[in-house]
Short mmCIF file of all heavy atoms in Angstrom, two decimals:
data_model
loop_
_atom_site.label_atom_id
_atom_site.label_comp_id
_atom_site.label_asym_id
_atom_site.label_seq_id
_atom_site.Cartn_x
_atom_site.Cartn_y
_atom_site.Cartn_z
N CYS J 1 -9.35 78.94 -126.17
CA CYS J 1 -9.13 77.49 -126.24
C CYS J 1 -7.68 77.12 -126.00
O CYS J 1 -7.36 76.16 -125.28
CB CYS J 1 -9.66 76.94 -127.54
SG CYS J 1 -11.42 76.96 -127.75
N LEU J 2 -6.81 77.86 -126.69
CA LEU J 2 -5.38 77.61 -126.51
C LEU J 2 -4.93 77.78 -125.09
O LEU J 2 -4.17 77.00 -124.53
CB LEU J 2 -4.58 78.54 -127.44
CG LEU J 2 -3.05 78.41 -127.40
CD1 LEU J 2 -2.64 77.00 -127.85
CD2 LEU J 2 -2.41 79.47 -128.26
N LEU J 3 -5.44 78.83 -124.43
CA LEU J 3 -5.14 79.09 -123.03
C LEU J 3 -5.66 77.94 -122.18
O LEU J 3 -4.94 77.48 -121.25
CB LEU J 3 -5.74 80.42 -122.61
CG LEU J 3 -5.59 80.82 -121.15
CD1 LEU J 3 -4.11 81.03 -120.83
CD2 LEU J 3 -6.34 82.10 -120.84
N ALA J 4 -6.90 77.50 -122.41
CA ALA J 4 -7.46 76.43 -121.62
C ALA J 4 -6.65 75.15 -121.77
O ALA J 4 -6.42 74.40 -120.81
CB ALA J 4 -8.93 76.20 -122.03
N MET J 5 -6.23 74.81 -123.00
CA MET J 5 -5.45 73.61 -123.27
C MET J 5 -4.13 73.67 -122.53
O MET J 5 -3.72 72.70 -121.86
CB MET J 5 -5.21 73.46 -124.77
CG MET J 5 -6.45 73.10 -125.55
SD MET J 5 -6.18 73.27 -127.32
CE MET J 5 -4.81 72.13 -127.56
N CYS J 6 -3.42 74.81 -122.65
CA CYS J 6 -2.12 74.94 -121.98
C CYS J 6 -2.24 74.85 -120.45
O CYS J 6 -1.47 74.17 -119.80
CB CYS J 6 -1.46 76.24 -122.39
SG CYS J 6 -0.98 76.33 -124.11
N PHE J 7 -3.25 75.54 -119.95
CA PHE J 7 -3.46 75.57 -118.49
C PHE J 7 -3.79 74.17 -117.98
O PHE J 7 -3.24 73.72 -116.95
CB PHE J 7 -4.62 76.52 -118.13
CG PHE J 7 -4.89 76.65 -116.66
CD1 PHE J 7 -4.15 77.52 -115.89
CD2 PHE J 7 -5.87 75.88 -116.06
CE1 PHE J 7 -4.37 77.65 -114.52
CE2 PHE J 7 -6.12 76.00 -114.69
CZ PHE J 7 -5.35 76.89 -113.95
N THR J 8 -4.61 73.45 -118.73
CA THR J 8 -5.00 72.08 -118.28
C THR J 8 -3.86 71.11 -118.35
O THR J 8 -3.61 70.35 -117.36
CB THR J 8 -6.17 71.59 -119.15
OG1 THR J 8 -7.27 72.52 -119.09
CG2 THR J 8 -6.64 70.23 -118.72
N LEU J 9 -3.11 71.10 -119.44
CA LEU J 9 -2.00 70.17 -119.58
C LEU J 9 -0.86 70.51 -118.62
O LEU J 9 -0.28 69.63 -117.99
CB LEU J 9 -1.51 70.16 -121.02
CG LEU J 9 -2.48 69.60 -122.04
CD1 LEU J 9 -1.97 69.79 -123.46
CD2 LEU J 9 -2.79 68.15 -121.78
N PHE J 10 -0.59 71.81 -118.48
CA PHE J 10 0.44 72.23 -117.53
C PHE J 10 0.03 71.88 -116.10
O PHE J 10 0.83 71.41 -115.28
CB PHE J 10 0.69 73.74 -117.64
CG PHE J 10 1.85 74.23 -116.80
CD1 PHE J 10 3.11 74.27 -117.30
CD2 PHE J 10 1.62 74.66 -115.47
CE1 PHE J 10 4.17 74.71 -116.54
CE2 PHE J 10 2.65 75.14 -114.72
CZ PHE J 10 3.95 75.15 -115.23
N GLY J 11 -1.26 72.08 -115.78
CA GLY J 11 -1.77 71.80 -114.45
C GLY J 11 -1.69 70.35 -114.05
O GLY J 11 -1.58 70.04 -112.87
N ALA J 12 -1.69 69.44 -115.03
CA ALA J 12 -1.60 68.04 -114.71
C ALA J 12 -0.16 67.52 -114.79
O ALA J 12 0.28 66.76 -113.89
CB ALA J 12 -2.45 67.22 -115.67
N TYR J 13 0.58 67.93 -115.78
CA TYR J 13 1.90 67.34 -116.01
C TYR J 13 3.06 68.13 -115.45
O TYR J 13 4.17 67.59 -115.30
CB TYR J 13 2.11 67.11 -117.52
CG TYR J 13 1.25 65.99 -118.05
CD1 TYR J 13 0.01 66.26 -118.61
CD2 TYR J 13 1.69 64.67 -117.96
CE1 TYR J 13 -0.81 65.20 -119.05
CE2 TYR J 13 0.87 63.63 -118.43
CZ TYR J 13 -0.36 63.92 -118.95
OH TYR J 13 -1.15 62.87 -119.40
N CYS J 14 2.85 69.40 -115.13
CA CYS J 14 3.94 70.24 -114.57
C CYS J 14 3.64 70.72 -113.18
O CYS J 14 4.50 71.18 -112.47
CB CYS J 14 4.22 71.43 -115.48
SG CYS J 14 4.75 70.94 -117.15
N ASN J 15 2.40 70.68 -112.79
CA ASN J 15 1.99 71.14 -111.48
C ASN J 15 2.30 70.12 -110.41
O ASN J 15 1.78 68.98 -110.42
CB ASN J 15 0.46 71.38 -111.48
CG ASN J 15 -0.12 71.68 -110.12
OD1 ASN J 15 0.58 72.03 -109.20
ND2 ASN J 15 -1.44 71.48 -110.03
N PRO J 16 3.19 70.39 -109.44
CA PRO J 16 3.57 69.39 -108.44
C PRO J 16 2.43 69.06 -107.47
O PRO J 16 2.56 68.09 -106.71
CB PRO J 16 4.73 70.06 -107.70
CG PRO J 16 4.53 71.53 -107.88
CD PRO J 16 3.92 71.66 -109.25
N TYR J 17 1.35 69.82 -107.51
CA TYR J 17 0.25 69.60 -106.57
C TYR J 17 -0.91 68.82 -107.20
O TYR J 17 -1.95 68.65 -106.60
CB TYR J 17 -0.22 70.91 -106.00
CG TYR J 17 0.84 71.62 -105.25
CD1 TYR J 17 1.48 72.73 -105.81
CD2 TYR J 17 1.27 71.22 -103.99
CE1 TYR J 17 2.50 73.41 -105.13
CE2 TYR J 17 2.27 71.86 -103.32
CZ TYR J 17 2.89 72.93 -103.90
OH TYR J 17 3.91 73.58 -103.21
N TRP J 18 -0.72 68.35 -108.46
CA TRP J 18 -1.74 67.49 -109.07
C TRP J 18 -1.82 66.18 -108.28
O TRP J 18 -0.83 65.50 -108.05
CB TRP J 18 -1.39 67.23 -110.51
CG TRP J 18 -2.35 66.28 -111.22
CD1 TRP J 18 -2.24 64.93 -111.33
CD2 TRP J 18 -3.58 66.63 -111.86
NE1 TRP J 18 -3.31 64.40 -112.00
CE2 TRP J 18 -4.15 65.43 -112.36
CE3 TRP J 18 -4.23 67.83 -112.10
CZ2 TRP J 18 -5.36 65.41 -113.06
CZ3 TRP J 18 -5.46 67.82 -112.78
CH2 TRP J 18 -5.98 66.62 -113.26
N ASN J 19 -3.04 65.82 -107.84
CA ASN J 19 -3.30 64.63 -107.02
C ASN J 19 -2.71 64.69 -105.62
O ASN J 19 -2.69 63.70 -104.92
CB ASN J 19 -2.81 63.35 -107.71
CG ASN J 19 -3.79 62.88 -108.76
OD1 ASN J 19 -4.96 63.27 -108.77
ND2 ASN J 19 -3.34 62.04 -109.69
N ASN J 20 -2.22 65.86 -105.18
CA ASN J 20 -1.69 65.96 -103.82
C ASN J 20 -2.83 66.14 -102.81
O ASN J 20 -3.98 66.41 -103.19
CB ASN J 20 -0.69 67.10 -103.72
CG ASN J 20 -1.33 68.40 -103.35
OD1 ASN J 20 -1.24 68.84 -102.21
ND2 ASN J 20 -2.06 69.02 -104.26
N LEU J 21 -2.51 66.02 -101.54
CA LEU J 21 -3.55 66.07 -100.49
C LEU J 21 -3.57 67.38 -99.71
O LEU J 21 -4.41 67.57 -98.84
CB LEU J 21 -3.30 64.92 -99.50
CG LEU J 21 -3.26 63.50 -100.08
CD1 LEU J 21 -3.04 62.51 -98.96
CD2 LEU J 21 -4.55 63.17 -100.83
N PHE J 22 -2.62 68.26 -99.97
CA PHE J 22 -2.48 69.43 -99.12
C PHE J 22 -3.68 70.32 -99.04
O PHE J 22 -4.00 70.91 -97.99
CB PHE J 22 -1.29 70.29 -99.59
CG PHE J 22 -0.01 69.99 -98.86
CD1 PHE J 22 1.18 69.89 -99.54
CD2 PHE J 22 0.02 69.73 -97.50
CE1 PHE J 22 2.35 69.61 -98.89
CE2 PHE J 22 1.16 69.43 -96.84
CZ PHE J 22 2.35 69.37 -97.53
N PHE J 23 -4.41 70.48 -100.13
CA PHE J 23 -5.47 71.43 -100.20
C PHE J 23 -6.83 70.83 -99.98
O PHE J 23 -7.87 71.49 -100.17
CB PHE J 23 -5.44 72.19 -101.57
CG PHE J 23 -4.10 72.75 -101.83
CD1 PHE J 23 -3.27 72.21 -102.81
CD2 PHE J 23 -3.66 73.90 -101.15
CE1 PHE J 23 -2.02 72.78 -103.10
CE2 PHE J 23 -2.42 74.43 -101.43
CZ PHE J 23 -1.59 73.87 -102.37
N ARG J 24 -6.87 69.57 -99.59
CA ARG J 24 -8.13 68.86 -99.41
C ARG J 24 -8.53 68.84 -97.93
O ARG J 24 -7.81 68.26 -97.10
CB ARG J 24 -8.07 67.46 -99.96
CG ARG J 24 -7.77 67.44 -101.49
CD ARG J 24 -7.78 66.04 -102.02
NE ARG J 24 -7.26 66.04 -103.39
CZ ARG J 24 -7.03 64.94 -104.09
NH1 ARG J 24 -7.28 63.76 -103.54
NH2 ARG J 24 -6.57 65.03 -105.32
N THR J 25 -9.65 69.43 -97.60
CA THR J 25 -10.06 69.53 -96.21
C THR J 25 -10.43 68.20 -95.60
O THR J 25 -10.32 68.02 -94.40
CB THR J 25 -11.26 70.52 -96.08
OG1 THR J 25 -12.33 70.04 -96.92
CG2 THR J 25 -10.86 71.90 -96.51
N ASN J 26 -10.83 67.23 -96.39
CA ASN J 26 -11.27 65.92 -95.90
C ASN J 26 -10.17 64.88 -95.96
O ASN J 26 -10.42 63.70 -95.67
CB ASN J 26 -12.50 65.45 -96.64
CG ASN J 26 -12.23 65.24 -98.13
OD1 ASN J 26 -11.25 65.79 -98.65
ND2 ASN J 26 -13.07 64.50 -98.77
N ALA J 27 -8.96 65.30 -96.32
CA ALA J 27 -7.88 64.31 -96.50
C ALA J 27 -7.09 64.10 -95.18
O ALA J 27 -7.04 65.01 -94.33
CB ALA J 27 -6.92 64.78 -97.56
N ASP J 28 -6.53 62.95 -95.00
CA ASP J 28 -5.63 62.69 -93.88
C ASP J 28 -4.40 61.96 -94.42
O ASP J 28 -4.38 61.49 -95.56
CB ASP J 28 -6.32 61.83 -92.81
CG ASP J 28 -6.67 60.46 -93.28
OD1 ASP J 28 -5.72 59.65 -93.54
OD2 ASP J 28 -7.86 60.11 -93.42
N ALA J 29 -3.34 61.94 -93.60
CA ALA J 29 -2.07 61.39 -94.04
C ALA J 29 -1.85 59.99 -93.44
O ALA J 29 -0.72 59.51 -93.38
CB ALA J 29 -0.96 62.29 -93.68
N TYR J 30 -2.91 59.31 -93.03
CA TYR J 30 -2.77 58.00 -92.41
C TYR J 30 -2.86 56.90 -93.46
O TYR J 30 -3.66 56.93 -94.38
CB TYR J 30 -3.84 57.78 -91.36
CG TYR J 30 -3.66 58.65 -90.11
CD1 TYR J 30 -4.62 59.57 -89.77
CD2 TYR J 30 -2.54 58.51 -89.32
CE1 TYR J 30 -4.45 60.40 -88.66
CE2 TYR J 30 -2.36 59.29 -88.19
CZ TYR J 30 -3.32 60.23 -87.87
OH TYR J 30 -3.17 61.02 -86.76
N SER J 31 -2.06 55.85 -93.23
CA SER J 31 -2.11 54.68 -94.07
C SER J 31 -3.17 53.73 -93.47
O SER J 31 -3.80 54.03 -92.46
CB SER J 31 -0.75 53.98 -94.06
OG SER J 31 -0.47 53.42 -92.77
N ARG J 32 -3.33 52.60 -94.12
CA ARG J 32 -4.11 51.53 -93.51
C ARG J 32 -3.34 50.98 -92.29
O ARG J 32 -2.13 51.25 -92.19
CB ARG J 32 -4.37 50.42 -94.51
CG ARG J 32 -5.34 50.82 -95.62
CD ARG J 32 -5.38 49.82 -96.76
NE ARG J 32 -5.68 48.48 -96.33
CZ ARG J 32 -5.68 47.43 -97.17
NH1 ARG J 32 -5.41 47.59 -98.44
NH2 ARG J 32 -5.96 46.22 -96.70
N PRO J 33 -3.95 50.28 -91.38
CA PRO J 33 -3.21 49.73 -90.21
C PRO J 33 -1.97 49.01 -90.65
O PRO J 33 -1.93 48.32 -91.68
CB PRO J 33 -4.25 48.78 -89.57
CG PRO J 33 -5.56 49.44 -89.90
CD PRO J 33 -5.39 49.98 -91.29
N TYR J 34 -0.94 49.12 -89.85
CA TYR J 34 0.40 48.66 -90.23
C TYR J 34 0.51 47.18 -90.55
O TYR J 34 1.34 46.73 -91.34
CB TYR J 34 1.41 49.00 -89.13
CG TYR J 34 1.36 48.09 -87.93
CD1 TYR J 34 2.35 47.14 -87.71
CD2 TYR J 34 0.33 48.20 -86.97
CE1 TYR J 34 2.32 46.29 -86.61
CE2 TYR J 34 0.30 47.37 -85.86
CZ TYR J 34 1.30 46.43 -85.70
OH TYR J 34 1.24 45.57 -84.59
N ASN J 35 -0.37 46.36 -89.90
CA ASN J 35 -0.26 44.91 -90.09
C ASN J 35 -1.28 44.38 -91.06
O ASN J 35 -1.37 43.15 -91.27
CB ASN J 35 -0.41 44.18 -88.72
CG ASN J 35 -1.63 44.64 -87.95
OD1 ASN J 35 -2.42 45.47 -88.46
ND2 ASN J 35 -1.80 44.12 -86.76
#
């Protein structure tokens, strides 16, 4: 449990790839239309 807690909290608050798009196969880097 201690390991799971540390891994989870570290993975969200210290992991620079939390919520990033790099590892998502269906993600794109496009914004909505400019206007």
Side-chain angles (χ1 to χ4, degrees):
C1 289
L2 180 62
L3 178 64
M5 290 169 58
C6 292
F7 183 83
T8 302
L9 293 173
F10 186 90
Y13 289 94
C14 299
N15 171 20
Y17 300 105
W18 177 267
N19 278 342
N20 91 104
L21 304 180
F22 265 139
F23 307 107
R24 299 182 190 175
T25 55
N26 61 340
D28 65 68
Y30 291 116
S31 69
R32 289 168 56 183
Y34 77 104
N35 51 3

